[in-house]
Amino acid sequence: MAFFYEEPSHTFSEYLLVPSYSSAECIPSNVSLRTPLCRFRRGEEPPVSLNVPLTSAVMQSVSDDRMAVALAREGGLSFIFCSQPIESEAEMVRRVKRYKAGFVANDSSIGPDETLADILALKDRTGHTTVAVTHDGSLTGRLLGIVTSRDYRVSRMDASAPVRDFMTPIDKIVFARDGLTLSEANDILWEHKLNALPVVDNEGNMVAFVFRKDYDMHKENPLELLDAQKRYAVGAGINTRDYEDRVPALVDAGADVLCIDSSEGFTEWQRRTLAWIRGRYGDAVKVGGGNVVDEEGFRFLAEAGADFVKVGIGGGSICITREAKGIGRGQATAVIEVARARDRYFEETGVYVPICSDGGIVLDYHITLALAMGADFCMLGRYFARFDESPTNRVMVNGNYVKEYWGEGSSRARNWQRYDSGDSASIKLSFEEGVDSYVPYAGTLRENVTETLSKIRSTFCNCGALSMAEMRRKAKLTLVSPVTLVEGGAHDVILKEAVKRAK
């Protein structure tokens, strides 16, 4: 007879935190959200930690090199998507590693015969206001000039005006030759009062930009996540099919941590993948596994050598695994059980294997609940897909800006390698486990993450906690009824915004 859990599984929205005593020292600025990312032994320091407990999901519509840089600045980590050719994923990792050196690989170019309309479309697509004009419009073409927002006024120019008519030509801009140091580049920026310095090779081909704002931003980001060489830290996704080729390429590119991207982690395929990595690299390469939703799944991956374990099946906003296959578990219940399993494993073995809550985050406070329930960090897709830095297009739908967002289990992603059928010849599935959608556009990552972290730190203080470990010790959680959920929001009033919309 099938095994039945006696209690129903629950989601984050079914819980609230009950406040505890807060001392005078318990203020948000004193709260540390630093947390281990990879396994470590009792008495030792974690080999890799996060300065904030946020990672971006291994998804085409979420995590590329631009997202990785933006999140590392705030203290978190991105896992670049693996549903792409091996070399293109490795190149994204290399771009992140080059970025912290201050030289930003050019990723926004246009040709001289294109128009103002093309410039505006490129700006909407990338969010960049500084564009290199190259002879053939390619990213590495011969530099002819640059275009910034100061070079044109939309209200006073015809959209069909060619770029060559309003760009700043190369004989009127300051540029540098490839090979100079970052210190030398910054000296040029300050000496000439520049916002951007193009860098070209000996043939005049575009190589990179150095931006003044990056120098300023470094001073404003004390939590930025760096590797031992002071470069931005970055993660990368792998699958259980081509890992023998993909892992070496990503390691050579400089990936700090790998993560197996799979629909379900309690499989022989993940064990084989982890065994191959351990056999070739020992403990030098850090790699997480998942996803699982119970103690048995956690122990399987911990004993197989996973450096962290992802928790959650079917809880993502674009995931339809539960309705397609009837498999999964309420995210809160899954996190609670796996966190207890992690603690028991630590007591028995002296090895601490961090867990990641992946999915089920709808509101900011759900992140705080996941941490209180025992998650060491969270992985988010929809949350990050809304920002300028995600790799998808920003479009207008019904008068509102939105961004495209699709699941790795959708036909659009065509990421069938994450589904382990055991038949290497049969990769494509006959049904989807993800949807293609839009999410409301929310602006920059920095603005939103700053607000989210402020809420988390404030709630930690309400619970009398100044660290992640203290939060787990002191947190008191209560289940709530559906009526309590109604009571918790604005109710029995007429919101002024609703009146304005009605007019």
Side-chain angles (χ1 to χ4, degrees):
M1 182 177 177
F3 175 81
F4 289 89
Y5 288 92
E6 295 183 2
E7 295 292 329
S9 62
H10 298 284
T11 66
F12 292 130
S13 291
E14 295 177 78
Y15 285 91
L16 287 174
L17 283 157
V18 176
S20 297
Y21 168 74
S22 295
S23 67
E25 293 73 32
C26 207
I27 57 176
S29 59
N30 287 340
V31 173
S32 170
L33 296 176
R34 188 169 173 81
T35 186
L37 177 66
C38 294
R39 70 162 58 208
F40 60 94
R41 291 189 172 277
R42 184 182 284 112
E44 297 178 353
E45 286 296 312
V48 184
S49 293
L50 301 169
N51 291 329
V52 300
L54 304 178
T55 62
S56 66
V58 191
M59 299 177 68
Q60 296 173 10
S61 55
V62 178
S63 298
D64 65 354
D65 51 295
R66 190 173 175 218
M67 174 63 71
V69 168
L71 185 50
R73 277 179 175 157
E74 306 305 320
L77 186 83
S78 287
F79 286 96
I80 290 176
F81 70 94
C82 58
S83 48
Q84 60 177 316
I86 293 171
E87 182 50 38
S88 63
E89 184 182 7
E91 179 56 29
M92 285 187 180
V93 171
R94 284 191 288 268
R95 286 204 291 266
V96 177
K97 289 303 179 183
R98 289 195 297 261
Y99 193 103
K100 186 59 187 82
F103 296 92
V104 185
N106 180 36
D107 63 354
S108 190
S109 286
I110 202 162
D113 296 324
E114 295 184 72
T115 66
L116 174 60
D118 296 318
I119 283 282
L120 298 177
L122 183 61
K123 179 182 175 182
D124 278 345
R125 189 164 65 250
T126 67
H128 298 173
T129 57
T130 299
V131 178
V133 183
T134 59
H135 78 287
D136 58 358
S138 70
L139 300 180
T140 57
R142 188 175 72 257
L143 183 66
L144 301 181
I146 63 172
V147 173
T148 71
S149 56
R150 293 184 300 179
D151 291 316
Y152 60 86
R153 292 186 181 180
V154 176
S155 60
R156 297 187 181 183
M157 290 181 61
D158 191 316
S160 63
V163 169
R164 65 170 69 253
D165 287 354
F166 59 88
M167 72 180 188
T168 302
I170 190 152
D171 60 350
K172 293 184 179 180
I173 63 176
V174 177
F175 62 90
R177 294 289 180 183
D178 194 20
L180 82 168
T181 66
L182 179 59
S183 177
E184 291 169 338
N186 283 327
D187 287 344
I188 295 172
L189 286 170
W190 286 98
E191 178 184 351
H192 295 276
K193 299 179 181 179
L194 304 173
N195 289 321
L197 176 68
V199 179
V200 300
D201 64 18
N202 290 332
E203 284 72 46
N205 297 316
M206 190 64 195
V207 174
F209 276 108
V210 179
F211 294 103
R212 181 172 178 169
K213 65 179 176 60
D214 289 335
Y215 177 87
D216 297 334
M217 192 170 291
H218 173 69
K219 302 298 183 182
E220 298 170 2
N221 291 279
L223 293 177
E224 59 185 0
L225 193 64
L226 308 177
D227 65 15
Q229 300 177 49
K230 305 300 182 183
R231 303 173 300 177
Y232 282 131
V234 60
I238 63 173
N239 59 62
T240 59
R241 294 180 184 273
D242 65 8
Y243 55 86
E244 294 185 11
D245 297 317
R246 191 173 294 268
V247 170
L250 295 174
V251 171
D252 290 344
D256 297 276
V257 187
L258 304 177
C259 178
I260 301 174
D261 177 41
S262 179
S263 62
E264 203 269 302
F266 196 177
T267 70
E268 176 63 21
W269 320 114
Q270 290 218 8
R271 192 209 303 268
R272 292 180 185 180
T273 304
L274 291 166
W276 185 89
I277 293 172
R278 292 290 169 249
R280 175 157 179 167
Y281 297 100
D283 294 329
V285 170
K286 306 304 179 185
V287 55
N291 287 27
V292 299
V293 292
D294 63 4
E295 178 171 8
E296 192 177 5
F298 168 82
R299 281 192 169 263
F300 172 82
L301 288 175
E303 291 167 359
D307 284 293
F308 64 86
V309 173
K310 288 199 298 171
V311 181
I313 293 176
S317 61
I318 40 68
C319 183
I320 55 171
T321 293
R322 295 182 191 176
E323 45 185 277
K325 297 168 60 177
I327 191 168
R329 199 177 194 189
Q331 187 67 9
T333 298
V335 169
I336 291 169
E337 178 173 328
V338 175
R340 289 171 176 163
R342 174 206 56 208
D343 293 344
R344 282 193 288 269
Y345 188 81
F346 182 48
E347 291 174 5
E348 295 169 12
T349 66
V351 176
Y352 187 92
V353 181
I355 64 170
C356 166
S357 177
D358 177 20
I361 302 295
V362 179
L363 302 172
D364 285 354
Y365 83 91
H366 292 166
I367 300 173
T368 313
L369 287 174
L371 301 177
M373 291 171 180
D376 294 279
F377 58 98
C378 294
M379 180 172 282
L380 305 121
R382 181 197 60 85
Y383 176 87
F384 287 112
R386 303 172 300 150
F387 304 151
D388 285 323
E389 294 82 0
S390 72
T392 64
N393 294 322
R394 185 182 70 173
V395 298
M396 184 171 284
V397 176
N398 297 327
N400 297 306
Y401 277 116
V402 296
K403 294 208 72 175
E404 295 179 300
Y405 180 45
W406 60 92
E408 289 298 292
S410 67
S411 287
R412 178 171 183 174
R414 303 185 65 81
N415 185 15
W416 311 120
Q417 288 182 315
R418 71 196 305 266
Y419 297 96
D420 298 309
S421 65
D423 180 3
S424 59
S426 176
I427 294 178
K428 185 172 180 179
L429 299 185
S430 57
F431 58 89
E432 292 181 291
E433 292 189 38
V435 298
D436 192 355
S437 65
Y438 296 113
V439 288
Y441 168 67
T444 68
L445 179 145
R446 182 176 179 81
E447 292 171 347
N448 285 275
V449 167
T450 297
E451 180 177 330
T452 297
L453 294 175
S454 294
K455 293 176 184 177
I456 294 172
R457 292 189 178 101
S458 179
T459 307
F460 270 48
C461 290
N462 293 143
C463 296
L466 291 174
S467 67
M468 296 279 287
E470 193 172 17
M471 181 62 164
R472 286 207 290 266
R473 289 197 309 270
K474 293 186 174 181
K476 297 182 292 185
L477 292 130
T478 180
L479 276 168
V480 297
S481 69
V483 178
T484 307
L485 294 175
V486 175
E487 178 186 66
H491 59 90
D492 301 314
V493 295
I494 300 173
L495 297 178
K496 291 183 179 180
E497 285 299 319
V499 174
K500 290 179 183 178
R501 287 196 297 270
K503 290 181 179 181

